[in-house]
Every structure is written in structure tokens, then in C-alpha cells.
Amino acid sequence: MWIFLGNKHKPLWIGYALDRKSKEVVAFNAGGRSIEMLSTIFKTVNSSSPSKVYTDYLVHYLSLVPCEVHVRGKRGTTHIERHNMNLRTHLKRLNRKTICFTRSAVILYAILKIYFWG
């Protein structure tokens, strides 16, 4: 999921991993949609030895997730899309067309930490 940070020229990506059974957030990070940002998430995911990991078609996932558990496509990502909608509903600063927005990545990270694990 992406939002704007401060103004419309600074997009920020929020990446997180959900446990399919409990629907809880396992790991998250905010930053550019780069391999460094995603690798912090997948360190936690890969350490728990998952049976399947569902992702979209971003190329970075090919080097981060082992091939035998990696499933690419839209079919397995419906839970995360629903969670994105709930996030945008509960935290108005993540909504796309609103007067409330975040100017600092540190504050956004703290708010997400409280929301996910508070």
C-alpha cells in the first residue's frame, strides 16, 4: 500500500505480512518499494518457515522468497487487500483524499506500530 508523505511528490510504501490463519500482522516496514525495505519484512517471514507465501508480481519477491513456498498472483492476496481497506478506514492519514496527512516518516512508523501491535 502506498501513501504520500508531506506532498504528492513523495510517495511512501507501507509493506507488511499477514498470518493467513490469525489475520495478524507479522512484520511491517515503511519506505521506498525497494528490495531493502522488503528484505526486513521477509527476514521475519522466512524465519518462521511458512508453508506458502502469497505475493503480487513484483520482481523483488523472486530473490527474497524461496521458490518452493512462493505463490504469485491475485488469488492469495485478497486478505491483504481487505486489510489495506481497513487500514485506510481506521487511520484517516492513510486515506488518499483527506485533509489529514503525515509529514514525518518517523511519526507514521510509530502510528503503524501502535495500530498493528498496540
Side-chain angles (χ1 to χ4, degrees):
M1 128 184 253
W2 63 273
I3 64 166
F4 293 119
L5 186 67
N7 59 29
K8 292 194 176 197
H9 301 291
K10 297 178 186 174
L12 183 79
W13 289 90
I14 301 169
Y16 57 96
L18 285 179
D19 181 14
R20 250 178 109 75
K21 291 182 182 172
S22 67
K23 308 292 189 278
E24 292 181 2
V25 175
V26 178
F28 81 96
N29 199 0
R33 196 170 186 190
S34 63
I35 198 160
E36 292 84 20
M37 191 269 288
L38 293 171
S39 66
T40 59
I41 298 168
F42 281 102
K43 281 180 191 173
T44 306
V45 172
N46 290 335
S47 68
S48 65
S49 63
S51 58
K52 296 278 185 202
V53 175
Y54 298 94
T55 65
D56 59 1
Y57 292 102
L58 185 65
V59 179
H60 300 319
Y61 296 130
L62 296 175
S63 63
L64 294 172
V65 183
C67 296
E68 56 273 1
V69 297
H70 191 198
V71 179
R72 294 172 65 179
K74 285 192 163 208
R75 186 177 182 129
T77 59
T78 54
H79 293 295
I80 203 131
E81 294 298 332
R82 175 62 186 181
H83 202 267
N84 285 348
M85 190 176 85
N86 287 344
L87 262 174
R88 289 192 192 279
T89 302
H90 295 159
L91 300 175
K92 290 300 176 189
R93 65 183 60 235
L94 301 180
N95 207 342
R96 290 191 179 129
K97 295 184 178 182
T98 184
I99 59 172
C100 179
F101 60 92
T102 302
R103 293 177 192 233
S104 169
V106 176
I107 298 296
L108 176 68
Y109 194 82
I111 289 169
L112 289 174
K113 195 178 234 184
I114 291 169
Y115 182 78
F116 288 145
W117 297 318

